[in-house]
Amino acid sequence: MIPSEGWGVLHLFYEVDRDAAERDPNAGKRVVDAVASLEADGHQALAFVVLGHKADLGFMALGPDLARLQRFQQELRTAPLRPTYSYVSLTELSEYTSTEDDERARLRTEEGVEGDELEAKLVVWRDRMAHYQEHRIHPQLPRKACIGFYPMSKRRVAPDNWYELAFADRKRLMGGHARVGRTYAGRIVQLITGSTGLDDWEWGVTLLADDPVALKDIVMEMRFDEVSARFGEFGPFYTGLVLDPADAVARVGL
Ligand code: 76R
C-alpha cells in the first residue's frame, strides 16, 4: 500500500511483559531480526529505550509501503511486548515553504541583488530547495543519541482558530517559527509528519539530538514564538535513548 505522496511513519511504544519474556529467551533476537528485515526491504527504523514509565521500548519506523510497516508492527506483536502508545503519520511537504517568488523578493529587498546576479542566486536556491524538499518527503534518519517525540495540533478555538486565518497570515507566522527553528541547525534534526485525519493529533514531531538539553531548549524557545504560544496544542511527550536494536532489547530485558 504505497501512498501517492510521502512515506508512512509509525511511532510504536511498548512495555515488556516480564513473565512472558522469561519464557521466551529468543524474543530479543526476533525483534532485532524484524528490524533488520524491515531495513532490508528499503525501510528505516530507529530503536530506542524510553526514559520514564510511559514505555520501555520504542521504534520509529518509516518507508514507502504502509503494508510493510504494518507487517513490522505485527512481527513485534509476537514478542512479549505490550503496546502502550502508537502514532501514525505520513511525511509531507509544507504548504508554507518559501516559493521562488518569495526568494526573489527577499533577494531584492534584503540583499539588494538584481539582474544576472539575482538569477544566478535563484539557480543555487532552486537546487537547495529541491534537496530540502526531497529530504522532507523521503528523510534519511540520522543516528543521534536522543529522540523526542510528541504529537501536536493547531488550536481551533475562537479567537485563536488557526484554520480561520488567511493563508498569508499563517505563512507569516510559520516564517517566524522557521526562523527560530533554523537557529537549531546542527543541534536538532526535526521531522514533522502529517497525521490530520490519520491519528488523534495533526502532526507528529520527532526531534533527534545528541544532547537532551537541545530537546528541552527548542521546545521552550518555540513556546515563546507566536505560532506555538497562541496555536500550539500538545499531546504526550516521549524521550528515548537511541541504540542499536540488539542493545535496546537487551537493556529492557528481552
Ligand atoms: O518548509 C520548511 O520545513 C521550513 C519551515 C518550517 C515549516 C513550514 C519549519 C521549520 N517547520 C515548519 C512546519 Mn517546524 N517544528 C515544529 C516543532 O514544540 C513546538 O512548539 C513545535 C514543534 C518543532 C520543535 C519544530 C522545529 N513545524 C511545522 C509544522 C506544520 C505546520 C503547518 O503546516 O501548519 C509543525 C506542526 C511544526 C512544529 N521547524 C522548522 C523546526 C525547526 C528546527 C525548523 C528549522 C528546520 C530547518 O530549517 O532545517
Side-chain angles (χ1 to χ4, degrees):
M1 172 59 234
I2 315 272
S4 60
E5 186 180 81
W7 279 351
V9 186
L10 288 181
H11 290 80
L12 303 170
F13 297 88
Y14 301 92
E15 66 184 16
V16 174
D17 179 339
R18 306 222 160 268
D19 293 338
E22 267 172 37
R23 295 190 301 270
D24 188 355
N26 289 322
K29 178 165 187 321
R30 290 207 307 283
V31 170
V32 172
D33 289 349
V35 172
S37 117
L38 180 74
E39 290 184 329
D41 284 344
H43 293 60
Q44 300 167 59
L46 287 181
F48 49 95
V49 291
V50 178
L51 297 167
H53 287 319
K54 285 178 182 144
D56 296 322
L57 187 62
F59 298 91
M60 176 182 187
L62 81 171
D65 184 1
L66 295 180
R68 184 64 188 84
L69 292 170
Q70 189 275 336
R71 205 167 98 214
F72 173 65
Q73 173 189 318
Q74 197 55 33
E75 283 164 8
L76 296 183
R77 294 292 284 118
T78 69
L81 293 172
R82 272 192 294 261
T84 59
Y85 191 65
S86 66
Y87 207 75
V88 180
S89 56
L90 293 176
T91 62
E92 64 179 14
L93 293 176
S94 164
E95 57 181 314
Y96 307 113
T97 312
S98 323
T99 63
E100 194 166 326
D101 285 346
D102 295 336
E103 180 63 7
R104 183 176 281 114
R106 194 193 69 78
L107 286 168
R108 286 206 172 107
T109 55
E110 286 179 28
E111 297 192 16
V113 183
E114 284 294 343
D116 287 352
E117 196 186 346
L118 184 134
E119 290 312 313
K121 289 207 173 214
L122 280 175
V123 170
V124 176
W125 180 86
R126 271 198 294 274
D127 187 53
R128 183 160 52 80
M129 282 312 276
H131 271 96
Y132 177 77
Q133 304 254 21
E134 171 58 19
H135 180 75
R136 218 179 136 121
I137 202 102
H138 299 139
Q140 297 302 315
L141 292 179
R143 176 71 182 267
K144 300 274 177 191
C146 302
I147 182 169
F149 170 77
Y150 52 97
M152 68 174 292
S153 295
K154 289 291 201 320
R155 185 163 299 136
R156 286 182 285 121
V157 182
D160 291 330
N161 186 336
W162 177 255
Y163 295 92
E164 285 180 344
L165 297 185
F167 177 76
D169 294 331
R170 283 180 279 129
K171 183 159 172 156
R172 179 182 50 77
L173 287 162
M174 287 310 294
H177 163 86
R179 259 192 301 284
V180 175
R182 279 195 289 273
T183 66
Y184 284 82
R187 279 181 86 198
I188 289 273
V189 172
Q190 117 277 24
L191 255 100
I192 307 300
T193 52
S195 49
T196 307
L198 303 179
D199 212 326
D200 298 342
W201 301 78
E202 294 170 348
W203 290 277
V205 179
T206 305
L207 304 176
L208 299 166
D210 281 323
D211 179 1
V213 176
L215 303 176
K216 185 165 154 291
D217 285 354
I218 192 171
V219 174
M220 182 61 153
E221 193 171 345
M222 286 198 167
R223 293 279 157 106
F224 289 99
D225 184 71
E226 193 177 355
V227 185
S228 297
R230 274 180 67 198
F231 298 102
E233 296 195 339
F234 299 90
F237 283 67
Y238 286 84
T239 306
L241 305 177
V242 180
L243 297 169
D244 284 334
D247 292 337
V249 298
R251 294 248 193 132
V252 298
L254 286 184

